[in-house]
Amino acid sequence: GAVVSQHPSWVICKSGTSVKIECRSLDFQATTMFWYRQFPKQSLMLMATSNEGSKATYEQGVEKDKFLINHASLTLSTLTVTSAHPEDSSFYICSARVASGRNNEQFFGPGTRLTVL
Amino acid sequence: DAKTTQPTSMDCAEGRAANLPCNHSTISGNEYVYWYRQIHSQGPQYIIHGLKNNETNEMASLIITEDRKSSTLILPHATLRDTAVYYCIVSRSLRSNDYKLSFGAGTTVTVRA
């Protein structure tokens, strides 16, 4: 299957700082990328859907000014957690769907573990 | 999207078939059944999907009832590496503009030697 990478795989930051997480589709073009968050022992929660070249659509309850999403190209989306606080500590997972819709699959990245001190 | 109901957990023996049930009684005609799994601290992995016909691939088989209100994922020969949380998700087609995967609690499957 297609490969989605995330960078970094883990990050520790101080409270109040901003953290950027990159999501790349390595061998396909993704018109749509999704960002999820997963707290310990919980399921994945969809945060937002981003389409290349347009503004992201955020799920209810997700602060768009805190979680900035940029999808500037067909292979790269970034999630910036602004002014991070300890409650933002979580496992952030991105995923992408192929532009051609050749396969009915959504490919997931390996996740980024964020710890805010 | 239609909500799904899965058992919280199940154990199965290595080498035996694992049958994972899922109820989706409110599924609508244009919604697919997707199965993903998540091994600890990794991103979810696609397993299989279907609309109304039974499907099989190298990983698993998907059996969908005729009324489409429930389905069963079958792992034919479970191995220890199949230990994971399995998610049954109902959503529009990937090609649909309003497609998105919303994850429920899933079933924690533990394969024992």
Side-chain angles (χ1 to χ4, degrees):
Chain A
V3 178
V4 175
S5 70
Q6 285 185 238
H7 178 79
S9 56
W10 60 270
V11 56
I12 301 173
C13 69
K14 293 181 178 179
S15 185
T17 61
S18 295
V19 175
K20 178 185 285 188
I21 302 170
E22 292 185 349
C23 175
R24 295 181 184 273
S25 55
L26 297 186
D27 50 1
F28 66 98
Q29 293 184 327
T31 53
T32 305
M33 288 186 172
F34 305 88
W35 285 95
Y36 292 81
R37 180 168 55 180
Q38 185 175 33
F39 292 108
K41 299 189 183 301
Q42 295 186 23
S43 186
L44 286 79
M45 184 193 78
L46 179 64
M47 298 175 68
T49 301
S50 78
N51 292 297
E52 185 263 338
S54 62
K55 290 183 179 179
T57 302
Y58 291 81
E59 295 298 303
Q60 191 173 7
V62 179
E63 300 174 58
K64 63 180 181 181
D65 295 330
K66 180 170 182 63
F67 299 99
L68 303 179
I69 292 173
N70 183 286
H71 191 167
S73 77
L74 287 173
T75 59
L76 173 64
S77 176
T78 60
L79 167 68
T80 301
V81 183
T82 62
S83 186
H85 291 285
E87 57 265 30
D88 298 322
S89 297
S90 188
F91 192 47
Y92 292 86
I93 305 169
C94 75
S95 68
R97 69 173 182 178
V98 293
S100 65
R102 175 179 57 85
N103 294 313
N104 270 351
E105 295 180 39
Q106 180 176 328
F107 303 102
F108 285 81
T112 296
R113 189 162 302 282
L114 169 64
T115 301
V116 184
L117 302 177
Chain B
D1 292 334
K3 186 176 178 180
T4 62
T5 305
Q6 299 177 251
T8 302
S9 63
M10 63 184 297
D11 287 1
C12 62
E14 186 180 21
R16 306 293 294 270
N19 297 316
L20 283 62
C22 179
N23 287 322
H24 31 79
S25 58
T26 59
I27 191 171
S28 59
N30 58 358
E31 289 180 319
Y32 287 69
V33 180
Y34 296 86
W35 282 85
Y36 281 78
R37 72 180 183 184
Q38 185 180 26
I39 296 171
H40 183 63
S41 294
Q42 297 182 23
Q45 176 189 21
Y46 167 82
I47 301 174
I48 200 167
H49 77 281
L51 181 62
K52 54 182 179 181
N53 297 323
N54 297 337
E55 303 287 344
T56 296
N57 62 21
E58 63 279 2
M59 288 184 69
S61 295
L62 174 60
I63 308 298
I64 303 175
T65 58
E66 193 170 341
D67 63 8
R68 304 208 322 125
K69 293 184 177 182
S70 65
S71 61
T72 301
L73 178 74
I74 301 172
L75 307 177
H77 304 286
T79 69
L80 298 179
R81 287 179 293 182
D82 292 322
T83 293
V85 179
Y86 287 75
Y87 297 99
C88 168
I89 304 167
V90 171
S91 180
R92 301 283 176 84
S93 166
L94 181 73
R95 298 181 178 86
S96 167
N97 288 333
D98 54 359
Y99 157 91
K100 64 181 178 181
L101 295 181
S102 297
F103 288 76
T107 297
T108 299
V109 173
T110 304
V111 181
R112 302 190 187 279

